Amino acid sequence: MDRSRKRPDSDPGGSAEAEPPADKRPCTADQSTSAAPVAVAADVVAAAAAAAAPAEQQTASDMDTSSSGHAGDGDGDVDADDGDGDVDGDDGDGGSSYESDGGGSGRAGAGDGKFSRMVAAVAADGAGTDAVLAALTELCEALSFCTEDDGGYFPTEAASKALVRLARGGDDGGGGAVASPDEMLLAVRAITYLCDAMPRAADAVVRHGLLPVLCSRLLAIEYLDVAEQCLQAFEKISRRKPTPCLQAGMITAVLAYIDFFAASIQRVAVSAVANVCKKIPADCSQFVIDSVPMLCNLLQSEDKMVFSVTNLTHPALACVNEALKLAIQLIPSVARDVEDSHMVLAKEKIIVDEPRFLCQFSRDILPVLIKAVNSGANSYICYGCSSIVNNICYFSKPEMLQDLLKETNISSFLAGLLSRKDHHVLISSLKIIEILMQKLPDAYLGSFIKEGVVYAVEALLMQDDCSKSSPPPSDGMEQSENQPAIRSKPTCFCYAFDSRRSDSAETRTCRIGQGNLFNFARHVKTTYFTAEAVSSEMGLTEILQKLKTCCAVLNDSADKSLNQDGLQNEEHLSNILSEVMMELHGGETMTTFEFLESGLVKSLLNYLSNGIYLQVDDNLKDHNADHFGAVLKRFQSFAHICFSRMEQGWGDMLLTLLVRKLQSALTSLDNFPVIMSHNFKPRNNISDIPIRHSTINPCIRVRFKKDEDETNLSSYDNAVNLEISSSLNSIEQFLWPKVSTTTSDQDTESSPSSVASESKYAEDDPQVRDSSPESSPPSEGITWENQNSPVEPCAKKGSSSSAGGQPDRNKVIGTDRAVQPKLLFSLKGKELDRSVTLYQSILQDQINVGADVILDTQFWRSVHDVTFRTAANPEKDDSPDSSNAAISTNDCKTGLMWQALPFFSSLLLGKISCKIDRSSPSYDILFMLKVLEGLNRFSFHLVSNERNHAFAQGRITSLDDLKPSVSSVPLQEFVSAKLTDKLEQQMHDPLVLRSRCLPLWCTELMSTCPFLFSFEARWKYFQLTAFGSSSIQHGHMRDTSGNNIATERSPSFSRKKFKVDRNDILVSAGKVMRSYARSNALLEVEYEEEVGTGLGPTMEFYTLISHEFQKSGLGMWRGELPCEAHTDKTHIVPRTVVAPNGLFPRPWSASVECPSFSEVNKRFHLLGQVLAKAIKDGRILDIPFSKAFYKLILGQELNIYDINSFDPELATTLMEFKALTCQRKYLESCSTKECQSPSDLSYRGRRIEDLAIDFTVPGYPEYVLSPGSSSDNVNAENLEEYVSFVVEATVKNGISRQLEAFKSGFSQVFPLSTLQVFSEDELERLLCGEQDNWDFVKLVDHIKFDHGYTSNSPAVINHSNNDADDDLPSVMTCANYLKLPAYCSKV
């Protein structure tokens, strides 16, 4: 086999490039969208056994690559006067946009004649090899920028015939010349591009006999390049023609030599197999069965990347379903079915004769089943898992059962199952409990009490008693079509995993009869959990009794004022708090049930909030500065306890232990269900709201009813179709003209300016979003932050909260903020929140009543009644908001602005801005986690604050002890694996991908507690909500290694090509951003007078910009150095800014006019555009910002302690000065005569006056801090004023104008507020990738040697030597350069 990589000798256009790596090729399926070998193997086996999984949306390959990148719909854009440059054009060659920044000339295609000419040249008989290669190269280049819109004038039939002939080798039986390997390669590549750009062309190439040709090239590999290109062609064709590919033997051909190919090519091959296995016809199963051995080999794949993308290319439900069926069939069922009695007896005999089979099987599968249930699986999966556990327990002997369960917390597992609502799951759980109590009563009675199993059984019986005592529903209640989505008849799972398929579950009688669940629960309670048996084990719950006693004391004394008796009470409460917290570190294990049942979380929050957490009244006007002081003192005591043991590391801190307990408690609660759409397929629907138009999203049917007490409005009884993304504002806009009885109101409503923006995007969104990968960019002169755009139609408008920023819950987008609502809407008597869509409210209402929300045909046909009435004009309240006054209180002794800490503001108010029911246990846990996460994130500030107090009071005598050494809890400890899995499942739902409408819990938790979700999940959420459904096609998910993660990529995504000047990169960047900042297209760069375009030059473009922004002389950053002049003094060379702790804006005084500052502002504006475009396009920047600057980007306020992150020396001096001023104030307030006089204070043995510090910003003498100051120099009297001025100039006023310019530029690309789901560290990772330094060992660990090389190959071992003879050649794929080392000879 010839492994050489041949290339065309003739390449006049320079476009027949050297082949890039497989994961960098334009038509190679993205790693993230390629199916995992393991997943495909499992899916195919399941498909062969059960007639295949349902067809899913086709994934698309990553076209974000080399010079042959793929252009998309609307790519034929030309410059327009509005500066957007995003106007659709028809330029013939596929619409590729190509522009110059002024130094080059644009170019465009010539229409269908150009394609016909190229195809004719390829098909010409007797043409020489060079001519054919040139024609093929030109055709590939044109097709790479072609779209499906061009298919109308592309000669598909002629091209398919000619290309298939060349792919076959040129021998068509007519005695023609045999094609060269390069011709075959380019022919197959052209076919790949053609099928990618015009999927319908797959019909033509299949019709002309391509599939056997591709199979033959893969079964007898002669040229590696040709074989790899055949795999890529199969991946494209199999999307549209899966059955012909299957029948042609594609699976065998693709997998025959899969181990030989590189990992990225293997993913392409497996993706092709996945495509044909999604829906296998019954008469084609043999093609899959014959390939099962090869598919099983894929289960041993070591490619970790494939595991992270499995769920994106294949629904896991089909695999899980078949796996559960198989596991249930392997073990005989406990339930005796007459028809299966012989089979059950046969299986029982095998288990009795060979118990080791059952033991090994159980040992392998039990952890998997428990993990599946604990991860938040639905009732169907839970029932299957619990049935298997039940069967294992039933057929296992006591000794074997105890050995199997010794490493498993089966009690906690059963307690979680008993919290479910489905009767099948509950019955199965009770059966497991009965078996364990029969076989191992002494081993499990105590753990059942501690883990809450006994409590759950009692709660189940109490539920039965309550239902019996409550009156039955009235027969007169109408339950026709009003709310039929709540299932009166629950789904039966009794036969869900039956091997027989003759009878459907609906026609067979459910094995759970009326009342059987509660009768069986009563039997378990009276038989195994009698009062005597439970009381004998009560010693195990002493910790629960102790916690309840302590919590009662905290609740009773939580709101006492801080008088003299109150101070003693505070000391007593602090001791109790310390005692409670130490229980977390005690020798006896506190179970999750005990932790929840004790009420500890609620009591802690009530204590920390000074007793207002348990108050029902939300009126906080009676809370004054005393309330602030009490909360502050208690919070400081709590923080001190949490940070204890810090010197032993974060793992031993009480803060860490409390976080882990809270995470376990949150996992045990199941209040956030995943709502999946059933059999969702995009189809045209007519929506009445927000405006009447056609949409491919499903619509909910709504009937608006006038409130019974409403007299000023007309009735409107028609049922209307409401697009699920519609807000209540759009509903009001539709309904108000129809129900208002005032003519003037109807007239003014016909063209309201207040909803113009929302109306525009409500109308444009469904159609424009479908014709373009993203929603339309805003019009010229309107920034995204001031629009009600469809960026996140189902999320709260303006409700996003950063990891450190404060949520803006009441913000209304655009000009709506000044308009009072005219109507109030109610659902089932509950007034609806205007920041939540009606669709979200309906889903949440059904979740609250405990119904199984099923988004199927019945749901979409249901009519939901919504009541409306006139909105009352809100009364003006001129009284000052004392709660805000309390929040804005500043700890003047330390300079720490407490209102900048969002979690502390929540404690002051006694609530968090979250629409989750406050009565839910989840609310308490979320609140406490938010407090602890903020406590951890601001640990340096808080500990520094405490050191400051200690120095002022004399407990610390040396200034060197002011700076603390802090151990923070890793952010991963705050991530909930269960919630992350649920969010991932929810975002992968086809309806969510299409509509971007998530259930309320997703948006609420992401807004209030984003730290609960992993970085990868938040990145996907950001892509979905910030850029719309197309982000799943456009996105560039990156893992920690910088690889692409999980996003489907649209083959028709538009690109913008732009020519730039390498020697004037900032000017070129400015022109690019002025044209394309608002464009949704991917940016591609080509350099003037250079060959090459695509991913490589584009990435270099962003790197060059990054380096250019770091040069001194721009006036942007602290630490700028003077420029260097060459020896001939002909020109000046700018030096790079020295910023070892990251770049931070230099201060500019607003009181002094400086002509050069306008240029600085423009550069920050450009920087904002570049950063936003890099994030949107998935590019990496090489620009080291400081953590403080990232905080500013996220909207967080900085203070004196944040200066330490970019200028530690200045921060240390300022904090020491601040400590001296605090000490001075403390001494002034001291009444004892022994106190030192304030005038005797000194700084490290010198008087303040002797330091000769003037009133300017350190390092910037032109920045005068206080022109009107009474003294030119700093002294003991004005030291506090000086520190305050320096801090203001450094992190606030001195950089505010630059920051506003940056935000203005950034928001032209997408709203800056959408980044607030990330922390400052994660934002750095988003922009600049991982910052870890790789040593040689780590580098070798991440290298996969292939094509005959191993880690012991001489070429690899000697690669690190300086001798050029030992070096391997390298290549620049995008510029067609082969770089040979300086070998000593040609041999």
Side-chain angles (χ1 to χ4, degrees):
M1 179 175 59
D2 186 354
R3 299 180 182 178
S4 63
R5 303 274 185 167
K6 295 189 178 182
R7 292 294 178 268
D9 298 330
S10 175
D11 187 14
S15 58
E17 67 280 330
E19 188 69 25
D23 56 348
K24 302 297 183 184
R25 295 178 191 169
C27 283
T28 300
D30 190 286
Q31 299 173 8
S32 62
T33 62
S34 303
V38 175
V40 174
D43 282 356
V44 173
V45 173
E56 291 294 315
Q57 292 179 332
Q58 300 292 343
T59 59
S61 64
D62 184 0
M63 306 302 297
D64 180 14
T65 51
S66 67
S67 60
S68 299
H70 188 286
D73 293 343
D75 197 34
D77 299 343
V78 297
D79 277 342
D81 293 337
D82 63 358
D84 189 292
D86 204 18
V87 181
D88 288 332
D90 186 5
D91 54 16
D93 75 344
S96 64
S97 175
Y98 189 98
E99 295 192 12
S100 169
D101 69 353
S105 59
R107 65 186 181 189
D112 55 344
K114 179 178 180 179
F115 283 117
S116 299
R117 175 183 57 78
M118 288 186 288
V119 172
V122 171
D125 293 332
T129 300
D130 291 346
V132 174
L133 288 176
L136 285 170
T137 299
E138 185 181 10
L139 181 60
C140 287
E141 179 69 18
L143 287 173
S144 67
F145 288 98
C146 197
T147 68
E148 192 167 5
D149 295 336
D150 303 311
Y153 53 78
F154 184 85
T156 305
E157 285 294 328
S160 300
K161 182 178 180 180
L163 292 174
V164 171
R165 179 179 62 83
L166 290 175
R168 188 182 291 114
D171 185 9
D172 54 1
V178 177
S180 67
D182 293 326
E183 290 175 296
M184 288 188 288
L185 172 66
L186 291 176
V188 179
R189 181 175 298 170
I191 292 172
T192 307
Y193 291 170
L194 179 61
C195 294
D196 182 45
M198 306 172 196
R200 286 174 292 183
D203 301 342
V205 295
V206 170
R207 188 164 56 251
H208 286 286
L210 175 67
L211 299 183
V213 174
L214 297 181
C215 290
S216 64
R217 297 296 178 204
L218 291 171
L219 291 173
I221 299 179
E222 297 180 281
Y223 302 96
L224 182 61
D225 280 357
V226 176
E228 291 181 353
Q229 194 65 56
C230 289
L231 290 174
Q232 297 171 28
F234 259 137
E235 200 275 332
K236 304 297 180 186
I237 299 171
S238 61
R239 298 177 184 180
R240 184 173 178 89
K241 308 293 290 183
T243 302
C245 289
L246 184 64
Q247 294 171 339
M250 189 205 76
I251 296 181
T252 301
V254 163
L255 300 180
Y257 298 104
I258 190 172
D259 292 336
F260 177 78
F261 296 104
S264 57
I265 294 297
Q266 290 183 19
R267 298 186 191 118
V268 176
V270 174
S271 180
V273 176
N275 291 337
V276 301
C277 291
K278 284 180 179 178
K279 194 170 184 179
I280 304 173
D283 58 346
C284 295
S285 59
Q286 188 62 37
F287 294 103
V288 180
I289 295 175
D290 293 341
S291 303
V292 165
M294 288 184 287
L295 291 169
C296 292
N297 290 335
L298 295 179
L299 296 173
Q300 309 299 323
S301 173
E302 298 179 357
D303 188 357
K304 296 181 180 180
M305 184 66 185
V306 298
F307 292 100
S308 65
V309 301
T310 300
N311 289 334
L312 296 178
T313 54
H314 279 282
L317 184 59
C319 301
V320 173
N321 181 27
E322 296 304 323
L324 287 176
K325 285 183 179 180
L326 176 61
I328 289 175
Q329 294 303 317
L330 289 176
I331 302 179
S333 174
V334 176
R336 291 295 188 267
D337 193 306
V338 177
E339 298 180 19
D340 292 338
S341 58
H342 296 293
M343 179 64 69
V344 170
L345 292 176
K347 293 178 182 178
E348 284 187 7
K349 186 176 186 304
I350 295 176
I351 290 177
V352 172
D353 295 342
E354 298 289 345
R356 58 189 178 88
F357 291 156
L358 176 63
C359 181
Q360 185 59 47
F361 174 78
S362 303
R363 197 180 304 277
D364 293 337
I365 201 171
L366 273 175
V368 178
L369 298 174
I370 293 176
K371 183 177 180 180
V373 172
N374 292 339
S375 66
N378 56 27
S379 299
Y380 174 81
I381 301 300
C382 284
Y383 174 70
C385 294
S386 61
S387 298
I388 298 174
V389 176
N390 181 32
N391 295 341
I392 290 175
C393 293
Y394 181 84
F395 290 104
S396 297
K397 295 180 180 179
E399 301 79 11
M400 184 175 74
L401 186 60
Q402 188 167 17
D403 182 64
L404 288 173
L405 300 179
K406 65 181 180 180
E407 301 295 334
T408 302
N409 191 347
I410 191 69
S411 301
S412 177
F413 169 74
L414 292 171
L417 287 177
L418 290 174
S419 66
R420 299 274 179 163
K421 299 180 177 63
D422 183 79
H423 285 200
H424 298 79
V425 176
L426 294 174
I427 282 283
S428 183
S429 305
L430 291 171
K431 289 179 179 179
I432 298 173
I433 294 172
E434 182 178 38
I435 294 172
L436 292 177
M437 290 302 299
Q438 289 174 347
K439 295 185 177 182
L440 300 168
D442 297 335
Y444 284 102
L445 178 59
S447 64
F448 282 168
I449 296 174
K450 283 183 67 66
E451 293 290 352
V453 174
V454 176
Y455 176 85
V457 174
E458 294 175 347
L460 192 62
L461 293 176
M462 290 179 60
Q463 177 185 344
D464 181 41
D465 296 338
C466 293
S467 62
K468 290 179 179 179
S469 61
S470 60
S474 174
D475 295 336
M477 290 186 63
E478 185 178 356
Q479 182 67 24
S480 57
E481 63 171 358
N482 287 343
Q483 311 297 337
I486 299 180
R487 310 289 171 160
S488 58
K489 181 181 178 181
T491 305
C492 177
F493 296 141
C494 293
Y495 309 97
F497 299 97
D498 229 355
S499 59
R500 296 168 298 151
R501 296 176 176 268
S502 57
D503 298 327
S504 63
E506 288 78 6
T507 61
R508 300 167 73 175
T509 304
C510 181
R511 291 168 179 163
I512 302 178
Q514 184 73 21
N516 283 359
L517 169 64
F518 300 107
N519 292 336
F520 188 50
R522 191 168 283 105
H523 161 72
V524 172
K525 171 70 169 62
T526 56
T527 305
Y528 307 106
F529 301 145
T530 61
E532 295 78 10
V534 173
S535 61
S536 65
E537 298 288 341
M538 285 305 292
L540 295 173
T541 60
E542 289 182 1
I543 185 172
L544 178 59
Q545 298 297 330
K546 184 176 182 179
L547 288 176
K548 284 189 172 183
T549 302
C550 294
C551 291
V553 175
L554 287 177
N555 291 335
D556 293 340
S557 307
D559 56 351
K560 289 188 178 181
S561 59
L562 291 177
N563 51 28
Q564 189 61 34
D565 295 334
L567 292 176
Q568 297 177 358
N569 177 63
E570 287 299 313
E571 294 181 3
H572 175 59
L573 292 179
S574 181
N575 292 333
I576 293 179
L577 177 64
S578 179
E579 182 180 351
V580 170
M581 295 291 290
M582 289 305 296
E583 289 293 339
L584 299 174
H585 202 266
E588 186 177 357
T589 303
M590 181 193 307
T591 66
T592 301
F593 167 73
E594 292 169 330
F595 182 76
L596 284 172
E597 184 64 17
S598 66
L600 173 61
V601 179
K602 193 181 293 290
S603 299
L604 278 177
L605 289 171
N606 196 49
Y607 163 76
L608 293 174
S609 63
N610 193 28
I612 68 170
Y613 183 73
L614 297 180
Q615 295 180 8
V616 179
D617 186 12
D618 289 337
N619 186 5
L620 301 176
K621 292 186 178 181
D622 296 334
H623 300 302
N624 49 24
D626 291 338
H627 170 68
F628 173 85
V631 174
L632 177 59
K633 183 174 180 61
R634 292 178 177 183
F635 176 75
Q636 290 173 334
S637 300
F638 178 70
H640 179 75
I641 295 173
C642 288
F643 288 143
S644 61
R645 305 174 182 268
M646 182 179 288
E647 64 279 356
Q648 301 177 19
W650 65 268
D652 207 39
M653 285 195 301
L654 293 179
L655 173 63
T656 306
L657 302 178
L658 182 56
V659 168
R660 289 173 177 171
K661 279 297 178 186
L662 289 168
Q663 288 288 4
S664 298
L666 188 62
T667 301
S668 68
L669 302 173
D670 196 38
N671 298 334
F672 309 110
V674 178
I675 303 175
M676 306 297 288
S677 58
H678 286 224
N679 300 322
F680 168 75
K681 293 181 180 179
R683 54 174 57 92
N684 286 330
N685 296 286
I686 301 299
S687 169
D688 299 306
I689 301 176
I691 58 173
R692 188 168 182 81
H693 69 284
S694 176
T695 174
I696 61 174
N697 293 329
C699 298
I700 54 175
R701 301 187 66 199
V702 181
R703 180 186 292 113
F704 296 104
K705 292 187 174 181
K706 186 178 66 173
D707 189 88
E708 296 178 355
D709 299 329
E710 179 60 53
T711 59
N712 298 325
L713 299 174
S714 302
S715 299
Y716 185 81
D717 297 328
N718 296 335
V720 297
N721 288 339
L722 174 72
E723 192 170 5
I724 58 178
S725 61
S726 301
S727 66
L728 293 185
N729 289 336
S730 61
I731 296 176
E732 179 184 282
Q733 180 190 1
F734 167 84
L735 192 60
W736 178 253
K738 297 173 175 55
V739 300
S740 175
T741 57
T742 305
T743 306
S744 61
D745 288 340
Q746 298 183 29
D747 293 340
T748 56
E749 189 64 26
S750 61
S751 58
S753 61
S754 62
V755 292
S757 177
E758 178 173 325
S759 174
K760 171 185 182 297
Y761 285 103
E763 179 179 5
D764 292 344
D765 181 40
Q767 298 174 351
V768 175
R769 187 174 63 225
D770 295 338
S771 61
S772 176
E774 299 178 13
S775 56
S776 297
S779 58
E780 181 72 18
I782 302 178
T783 59
W784 284 45
E785 287 186 328
N786 294 327
Q787 297 173 342
N788 194 356
S789 66
V791 169
E792 188 177 353
C794 275
K796 305 161 296 305
K797 300 292 187 291
S799 63
S800 60
S801 171
S802 69
Q806 300 187 44
D808 187 6
R809 307 293 298 183
N810 299 320
K811 178 181 177 183
V812 182
I813 306 299
T815 55
D816 284 348
R817 69 187 67 186
V819 178
Q820 297 297 335
K822 297 181 177 66
L823 297 174
L824 295 180
F825 299 94
S826 301
L827 180 66
K828 296 183 180 179
K830 183 178 180 180
E831 184 175 324
L832 298 179
D833 192 325
R834 298 186 76 88
S835 65
V836 179
T837 65
L838 179 58
Y839 171 70
Q840 286 180 313
S841 299
I842 291 173
L843 295 183
Q844 190 60 40
D845 173 71
Q846 297 191 14
I847 293 173
N848 292 340
V849 299
D852 290 332
V853 184
I854 304 176
L855 301 183
D856 56 2
T857 305
Q858 184 177 350
F859 176 87
W860 302 116
R861 290 178 179 175
S862 304
V863 179
H864 306 274
D865 290 339
V866 176
T867 305
F868 65 89
R869 59 185 174 88
T870 305
N873 292 328
E875 298 181 1
K876 279 193 172 184
D877 188 3
D878 298 330
S879 61
D881 190 346
S882 59
S883 64
N884 289 338
I887 293 176
S888 62
T889 303
N890 178 26
D891 186 358
C892 59
K893 293 184 179 181
T894 65
L896 184 61
M897 301 295 292
W898 290 96
Q899 73 272 21
L901 309 179
F903 64 92
F904 187 79
S905 302
S906 299
L907 286 177
L908 287 172
L909 298 174
K911 60 182 179 180
I912 54 177
S913 300
C914 185
K915 294 179 176 61
I916 297 175
D917 186 8
R918 291 192 65 173
S919 62
S920 170
S922 300
Y923 183 90
D924 303 330
I925 297 173
L926 293 174
F927 197 153
M928 181 56 72
L929 281 172
K930 183 176 179 64
V931 172
L932 295 181
E933 191 273 338
L935 185 65
N936 180 67
R937 185 155 34 87
F938 290 94
S939 57
F940 178 82
H941 298 62
L942 298 173
V943 176
S944 298
N945 177 25
E946 194 276 333
R947 295 285 181 92
N948 206 314
H949 273 288
F951 182 84
Q953 298 171 6
R955 291 183 281 117
I956 293 179
T957 58
S958 174
L959 291 173
D960 295 330
D961 296 332
L962 285 177
K963 189 174 181 179
S965 177
V966 178
S967 295
S968 298
V969 179
L971 295 180
Q972 190 62 31
E973 291 289 326
F974 292 91
V975 174
S976 170
K978 183 176 182 179
L979 287 178
T980 296
D981 289 342
K982 285 190 170 187
L983 180 64
E984 292 268 12
Q985 295 178 45
Q986 191 67 70
M987 289 191 297
H988 293 155
D989 180 61
L991 176 60
V992 173
L993 290 175
R994 170 61 62 178
S995 66
R996 294 167 286 162
C997 294
L998 291 158
L1000 184 61
W1001 68 264
C1002 298
T1003 54
E1004 287 297 315
L1005 293 186
M1006 190 63 72
S1007 171
T1008 308
C1009 304
F1011 52 83
L1012 290 173
F1013 305 99
S1014 68
F1015 170 76
E1016 289 76 15
R1018 277 179 284 129
W1019 169 245
K1020 296 172 188 175
Y1021 177 90
F1022 161 74
Q1023 286 277 325
L1024 181 67
T1025 56
F1027 305 138
S1029 58
S1030 60
S1031 65
I1032 301 301
Q1033 303 161 350
H1034 161 80
H1036 302 262
M1037 299 294 182
R1038 292 190 299 270
D1039 64 6
T1040 55
S1041 62
N1043 293 324
N1044 288 337
I1045 300 179
T1047 51
E1048 305 167 12
R1049 188 153 180 78
S1050 170
S1052 58
F1053 201 86
S1054 61
R1055 294 172 182 268
K1056 297 291 185 182
K1057 295 180 70 175
F1058 204 94
K1059 184 169 288 189
V1060 300
D1061 183 0
R1062 182 186 295 273
N1063 297 322
D1064 202 357
I1065 202 70
L1066 281 185
V1067 174
S1068 295
K1071 293 179 180 179
V1072 172
M1073 293 305 159
R1074 279 195 297 272
S1075 298
Y1076 299 133
R1078 294 183 177 92
S1079 173
N1080 294 321
L1082 283 172
L1083 184 64
E1084 276 196 5
V1085 169
E1086 181 176 349
Y1087 298 100
E1088 290 185 6
E1089 300 180 358
E1090 294 185 27
V1091 178
T1093 184
L1095 181 63
T1098 303
M1099 294 178 65
E1100 185 187 14
F1101 170 71
Y1102 282 101
T1103 301
L1104 293 176
I1105 295 177
S1106 302
H1107 296 168
E1108 198 70 21
F1109 273 121
Q1110 299 175 55
K1111 290 184 178 179
S1112 296
L1114 299 179
M1116 297 179 66
W1117 312 111
R1118 302 174 65 91
E1120 287 191 348
L1121 299 174
C1123 297
E1124 285 184 339
H1126 270 233
T1127 55
D1128 56 3
K1129 298 184 179 181
T1130 55
H1131 62 278
I1132 297 177
V1133 179
R1135 301 168 66 182
T1136 301
V1137 175
V1138 177
N1141 297 290
L1143 299 172
F1144 191 82
R1146 62 156 289 179
W1148 285 85
S1149 176
S1151 60
V1152 179
E1153 292 293 333
C1154 182
S1156 61
F1157 180 73
S1158 61
E1159 293 299 320
V1160 173
N1161 252 11
K1162 291 179 182 178
R1163 294 183 188 113
F1164 271 102
H1165 182 85
L1166 175 61
L1167 178 64
Q1169 292 175 318
V1170 170
L1171 261 64
K1173 193 65 175 173
I1175 292 175
K1176 190 171 184 179
D1177 287 0
R1179 308 306 184 201
I1180 293 293
L1181 296 177
D1182 185 18
I1183 183 167
F1185 294 120
S1186 62
K1187 295 295 188 293
F1189 187 68
Y1190 285 119
K1191 284 187 175 182
L1192 292 174
I1193 294 177
L1194 294 173
Q1196 302 178 31
E1197 291 188 30
L1198 304 185
N1199 54 45
I1200 187 174
Y1201 302 114
D1202 291 300
I1203 299 177
N1204 183 72
S1205 67
F1206 59 87
D1207 195 339
E1209 294 182 0
L1210 176 62
T1212 299
T1213 302
L1214 291 177
M1215 285 191 288
E1216 290 176 353
F1217 283 171
K1218 192 65 182 178
L1220 290 176
T1221 61
C1222 291
Q1223 186 182 55
R1224 184 173 185 269
K1225 285 190 174 185
Y1226 178 80
L1227 293 176
E1228 288 177 346
S1229 63
C1230 185
S1231 59
T1232 60
K1233 297 182 180 180
E1234 292 78 15
C1235 287
Q1236 182 184 11
S1237 173
S1239 60
D1240 296 336
L1241 295 179
S1242 61
Y1243 176 73
R1244 297 189 178 276
R1246 296 188 177 184
R1247 297 171 62 247
I1248 300 297
E1249 292 80 356
D1250 295 340
L1251 298 177
I1253 303 175
D1254 56 13
F1255 258 76
T1256 60
V1257 177
Y1260 303 94
E1262 71 281 1
Y1263 195 131
V1264 180
L1265 292 173
S1266 179
S1269 176
S1270 58
S1271 175
D1272 292 335
N1273 292 328
V1274 178
N1275 52 44
E1277 299 295 331
N1278 58 21
L1279 180 60
E1280 182 178 14
E1281 183 184 21
Y1282 170 77
V1283 172
S1284 176
F1285 282 158
V1286 172
V1287 172
E1288 285 286 324
T1290 303
V1291 299
K1292 295 181 180 179
N1293 296 338
I1295 63 172
S1296 59
R1297 292 180 294 167
Q1298 301 93 297
L1299 187 61
E1300 287 303 315
F1302 173 88
K1303 292 180 178 179
S1304 174
F1306 194 104
S1307 299
Q1308 288 182 356
V1309 182
F1310 66 88
L1312 186 60
S1313 59
T1314 56
L1315 288 178
Q1316 293 181 348
V1317 298
F1318 303 108
S1319 67
E1320 54 270 21
D1321 292 319
E1322 292 166 340
L1323 186 56
E1324 180 182 33
R1325 178 179 171 186
L1326 204 65
L1327 275 171
C1328 306
E1330 284 294 327
Q1331 301 301 306
D1332 293 341
N1333 294 323
W1334 284 30
D1335 55 19
F1336 182 76
V1337 175
K1338 190 172 184 179
L1339 184 63
V1340 171
D1341 289 342
H1342 287 76
I1343 293 177
K1344 181 178 180 180
F1345 299 99
D1346 210 336
H1347 298 291
Y1349 289 102
T1350 67
S1351 58
N1352 298 323
S1353 298
V1356 176
I1357 296 175
N1358 299 329
H1359 185 61
S1360 58
N1361 297 340
N1362 294 326
D1363 189 354
D1365 288 340
D1366 296 325
D1367 288 344
L1368 296 173
S1370 58
V1371 64
M1372 289 179 60
T1373 58
C1374 46
N1376 302 332
Y1377 289 148
L1378 178 65
K1379 297 186 290 187
L1380 296 174
Y1383 296 130
C1384 63
S1385 67
K1386 295 183 179 181
V1387 180

